[in-house]
Amino acid sequence: MIARPGPASVNDVKHLLRQAERLVQRLVQRLVPGRYLAASGVALAFDMGSFLALLALGMPPAPASALSYSLGIVVHWFISSRAVFTAGVAARGPGRTRQKALFVASALVGLALTAGVVGLGSALGLDPRLAKIAAVGVSFAATWLLRARIVFAA
């Protein structure tokens, strides 16, 4: 004869809910890097697309590059704050303003790392295109860590 389980207690239900919550958190944490990669791709597409459009409109390359990079930062902020790091977004007000400033600072760190890696690679005789590919990886890793651990730390 098989024993039938008795009714679940409130503690049993709370325990199951805590386990389910932990499972969902682990799943979301595993998805965040992929969403961040996608957000970076979209931001890069906006950066490059607007850069090419500005060049076609006759804007000189340096200002076009700076303006398009800035647009990429704005696009990345919107995607990151709404689809990647949703749990860590500060409420509107001074906290959110500080978070936006940190986000821009992290983007500037990424820019500095990119320029540094490309410059160093070129100085060492590497093809600048290969150095740029390496720089993208270094910059991506650094900005991911800064944003996950500082900018959007919950």
Side-chain angles (χ1 to χ4, degrees):
M1 185 166 181
I2 298 174
R4 297 183 71 185
S9 70
V10 171
N11 286 334
D12 291 337
V13 172
K14 286 181 181 178
H15 177 73
L16 287 173
L17 288 174
R18 280 193 301 272
Q19 285 182 325
E21 180 182 16
R22 278 189 236 122
L23 176 63
V24 168
Q25 286 173 346
R26 281 193 302 255
L27 289 172
V28 167
Q29 286 171 350
R30 289 184 182 165
L31 294 175
V32 166
R35 289 192 309 229
Y36 183 78
L37 181 62
S40 296
V42 171
L44 178 60
F46 270 85
D47 177 354
M48 289 302 295
S50 59
F51 176 68
L52 295 173
L54 291 168
L55 288 178
L57 292 172
M59 184 177 276
S65 179
L67 186 57
S68 68
Y69 185 81
S70 299
L71 177 62
I73 292 171
V74 171
V75 168
H76 210 307
W77 163 261
F78 279 108
I79 297 170
S80 292
S81 64
R82 286 158 179 78
V84 180
F85 299 108
T86 55
V89 177
R92 293 186 188 273
R96 176 87 56 93
T97 301
R98 178 181 174 279
Q99 202 169 45
K100 288 177 182 177
L102 288 171
F103 190 89
V104 170
S106 71
L108 296 176
V109 167
L111 176 61
L113 284 169
T114 298
V117 169
V118 171
L120 178 63
S122 295
L124 294 174
L126 289 175
D127 182 325
R129 293 167 291 197
L130 293 176
K132 176 69 172 176
I133 291 169
V136 167
V138 170
S139 176
F140 177 85
T143 56
W144 159 256
L145 287 171
L146 288 170
R147 290 169 182 171
R149 303 234 169 119
I150 297 172
V151 178
F152 293 107

